[in-house]
Amino acid sequence: MRGFKSAVTKFARMNNIPFAWQTRFHDRVIRNYDEQNRIIHYINGNIEN
């Protein structure tokens, strides 16, 4: 993940694209379909709150 973020940041800077990563954000690898569904329901529920 660190390499991906580094490459995206470098590309944005080289091409004068205004870009910044969201602060206080933690990456999470979704490992299976059930976990993906839990996350989807959590996000959809948060929109209502």
Side-chain angles (χ1 to χ4, degrees):
M1 188 57 64
R2 180 176 49 186
F4 173 75
K5 285 184 164 184
S6 175
V8 170
T9 301
K10 183 177 179 181
F11 178 84
R13 288 180 181 162
M14 289 175 58
N15 292 285
N16 295 320
I17 300 170
F19 177 81
W21 291 102
Q22 180 179 352
T23 59
R24 302 178 65 126
F25 177 79
H26 299 281
D27 298 316
R28 171 107 174 111
V29 174
I30 300 172
R31 300 190 186 280
N32 58 46
Y33 185 73
D34 291 333
E35 186 174 5
Q36 177 183 350
N37 281 334
R38 282 194 303 274
I39 292 169
I40 289 169
H41 290 293
Y42 173 79
I43 292 170
N44 288 335
N46 256 348
I47 292 171
E48 297 169 358
N49 293 331

